[in-house]
Amino acid sequence: MTKRKLDTICIQGGWQPKKGEPRVLPIYQSTTFKYDTSDEMGRLFDLEDTGYFYTRLQNPTNDAVAAKICELEGGVGAMLTSSGQAANFYAIFNICEAGGHIISFAPVYGGTFNLFGVTLKKLGIDVTFIDPDATDEEIEAAFRPNTKAFFAETISNPSLVVLDIEKFANIAHSHGVPLIVDNTFATPINCRPFEWGADIVTHSTTKYMDGHATSVGGCIVDSGNFDWDKYHDKFPGLTEPDDSYHGIVYTEKFGKLAYITKATVQLMRDLGSIPSPQNCFLLNLGLETLHLRMARHCENAQKVAEYLEANEDVAWVNYCGLKGNKYYDLAQKYLPNGSCGVISFGLKGGRDVSIKFMDNLKLAAIVTHVADARTSVLHPASHTHRQLTDEQLVEAGVQPDLIRFSVGIENAEDIIADIEQALKAAR
Ligand SMILES: *Cc1c(COP(=O)(O)O)cnc(C)c1O
């Protein structure tokens, strides 16, 4: 089949019904799957045959949705997880264990910052956070002999730093490590990091992919491009026998699918953060309109950003679609059709005015969530990033007065009118 367009994949990717089967992806709400002989079942446990046997490892509903996201990203294999947090944890832990080290962009989602800086440390994994503006020497100096991966977000949440994917893919590869990109905010509709050299992509599907704020979920997609065997000693989990499967070697047995197969049959088997088939069904419904919604999110956000930029109550606006934005040129390269619906800005008068502004919004709701159909707003320093110290806030690229405004797909004029009345009330 020729390569299909993204719009078509959104609708038709994944579930491929055969004669007489449901046209719409069914919810296989079953923990377990039946076989006729003991031997048939045994071969599944040895990874000698493929097939469903227990939903913690694989489920047909979940797999169909993973296949759709995989095709959208242009990968070779994908695995769904119960949250974006689980996806990022597994993406790292699949190739990095106690004694290892990773490098991460400092401006990342608050949950990821905590996961890396606190929890991975407890597991014996060291993390170096680097500034996106770090010099070449500083970046080079961050690499160590035990470095296993480089991690960053395509568009960082909430600081909206646009990643120079090609540059950091080249740097990572020159040190023999993969580039892992969290593509949550851009989605594959606006950016496909594999086309620029990224090796692994992760998602919080909770955001635009689900798009309606119904289900928390995550995904890992493998490009199949990283040559683990070339760095045999660095990635023994993939290149040396796995005792828990009678000594199979993932790179030998699964080739380009080594990484994602290990994540599924070993990490998911042992750690078990699977999404429910019901949630995957809802995620699939969201994906069916992702291409339509992303275009509208971006169109609305551009209008709101331009309105804010021209407003005298507004101290600063950060949106990479604005000419003059620090990341405008990178966005033109990597996100030519639009970035995302999230804008950040600060108000003159600082924190108190910001809080008053938010409390007066009527259409936009104060919610922790971001990136769904409804316009929402949040003050990260008081909410998502509350656990971080002021120093960490700055390191994570979150100014104390930063308002994260997630532009929905309502009518842009109504969104702007709401902002206007709340700005007046906050004066
Ligand atoms: C929300 C988010 C996560 C965490 O995902 P959950 O689904 O909430 O666990 C990770 N990365 C980014 C960029 C996010 O926005």
Side-chain angles (χ1 to χ4, degrees):
M1 195 163 37
T2 55
K3 233 176 140 198
R4 304 189 283 187
K5 302 271 192 299
L6 295 172
D7 320 40
T8 306
I9 303 167
C10 280
I11 307 284
Q12 301 237 355
W15 176 244
Q16 303 297 323
K18 296 183 210 68
K19 182 179 160 189
E21 286 186 341
R23 179 75 174 100
V24 174
L25 173 66
I27 305 172
Y28 283 87
Q29 194 69 41
S30 180
T31 59
T32 195
F33 301 83
K34 175 183 173 293
Y35 288 89
D36 290 336
T37 69
S38 167
D39 184 53
E40 280 172 356
M41 178 78 103
R43 290 176 63 78
L44 295 178
F45 275 97
D46 282 349
L47 305 181
E48 290 301 331
D49 274 338
T50 54
Y52 296 102
F53 54 116
Y54 193 58
T55 283
R56 171 151 41 77
L57 283 104
Q58 282 184 304
N59 171 285
T61 306
N62 301 13
D63 279 6
V65 182
K68 179 179 281 189
I69 297 173
C70 185
E71 191 179 352
L72 285 170
E73 287 287 6
V76 294
M79 176 179 88
L80 297 184
T81 57
S82 56
S83 68
Q85 285 299 109
N88 281 332
F89 172 57
Y90 285 15
I92 298 292
F93 199 58
N94 203 32
I95 47 172
C96 186
E97 36 195 69
H101 168 254
I102 62 164
I103 302 170
S104 171
F105 254 32
V108 287
Y109 173 67
T112 306
F113 197 81
N114 283 330
L115 167 67
F116 289 177
V118 178
T119 300
L120 286 190
K121 279 221 167 87
K122 286 185 191 161
L123 293 172
I125 296 170
D126 236 351
V127 183
T128 302
F129 288 108
I130 65 157
D131 190 297
D133 295 331
T135 63
D136 289 350
E137 294 80 58
E138 284 166 338
I139 297 166
E140 288 298 313
F143 283 89
R144 305 179 190 168
N146 62 342
T147 303
K148 311 287 183 175
F150 193 106
F151 180 96
E153 295 171 359
T154 316
I155 308 169
S156 65
N157 175 6
S159 47
L160 307 176
V161 172
V162 177
L163 175 67
D164 191 342
I165 305 173
E166 208 168 22
K167 170 180 161 179
F168 284 94
N170 286 335
I171 293 172
H173 295 161
S174 74
H175 290 272
V177 306
L179 175 66
I180 303 177
V181 173
D182 180 333
N183 198 29
T184 298
F185 267 19
T187 82
I189 299 302
N190 285 340
C191 181
R192 285 159 310 286
F194 295 156
E195 293 174 359
W196 302 101
D199 302 286
I200 307 293
V201 157
T202 61
H203 282 281
S204 166
T205 62
T206 318
K207 313 296 165 51
Y208 290 117
M209 283 191 167
D210 170 273
H212 302 78
T214 70
S215 314
V216 174
C219 186
I220 304 176
V221 191
D222 185 356
S223 70
N225 291 336
F226 195 84
D227 188 353
W228 309 102
D229 249 338
K230 189 170 168 193
Y231 309 100
H232 189 281
D233 296 343
K234 200 188 281 265
F235 303 107
L238 289 164
T239 61
E240 305 259 330
D242 179 353
D243 291 337
S244 69
Y245 280 113
H246 309 308
I248 63 157
V249 175
Y250 292 101
T251 46
E252 270 174 18
K253 193 162 171 71
F254 300 102
K256 277 180 171 298
L257 288 165
Y259 174 94
I260 202 70
T261 303
K262 176 177 178 286
T264 307
V265 302
Q266 189 197 69
L267 292 191
M268 198 54 100
R269 178 195 64 187
D270 295 351
L271 299 171
S273 319
I274 53 136
S276 75
Q278 168 83 36
N279 278 7
C280 293
F281 174 83
L282 291 169
L283 169 58
N284 187 56
L285 281 186
L287 288 166
E288 289 185 2
T289 56
L290 183 65
H291 56 304
L292 301 175
R293 290 184 290 105
M294 286 313 288
R296 182 64 177 266
H297 278 294
C298 294
E299 187 191 320
N300 281 359
Q302 184 70 30
K303 287 180 186 162
V304 171
E306 285 170 11
Y307 166 82
L308 290 169
E309 194 177 39
N311 192 295
E312 57 187 28
D313 293 330
V314 177
W316 57 271
V317 186
N318 183 15
Y319 187 64
C320 63
L322 292 175
K323 287 205 182 76
N325 181 272
K326 184 172 175 187
Y327 298 103
Y328 182 80
D329 291 340
L330 280 180
Q332 292 299 304
K333 174 173 175 179
Y334 294 110
L335 305 153
N337 299 323
S339 54
C340 65
V342 184
I343 296 170
S344 63
F345 63 95
L347 295 179
K348 288 179 187 158
R351 197 178 166 135
D352 293 347
V353 176
S354 302
I355 303 278
K356 209 165 160 205
F357 162 75
M358 287 174 51
D359 288 349
N360 276 288
L361 287 165
K362 295 189 169 71
L363 179 148
I366 300 176
V367 295
T368 309
H369 196 57
V370 62
D372 79 87
R374 296 161 200 82
T375 296
S376 56
V377 67
L378 183 91
H379 183 234
S382 312
H383 306 136
T384 44
H385 289 60
R386 204 181 170 86
Q387 292 92 340
L388 305 191
T389 63
D390 280 359
E391 210 173 43
Q392 285 174 322
L393 275 178
V394 172
E395 195 183 354
V398 181
Q399 298 91 318
D401 67 338
L402 183 151
I403 295 170
R404 183 180 76 185
F405 200 85
S406 176
V407 181
I409 54 176
E410 304 94 342
N411 188 294
E413 285 175 25
D414 289 338
I415 300 169
I416 290 170
D418 188 37
I419 296 173
E420 193 155 73
Q421 65 79 24
L423 283 174
K424 269 197 196 117
R427 255 184 223 142

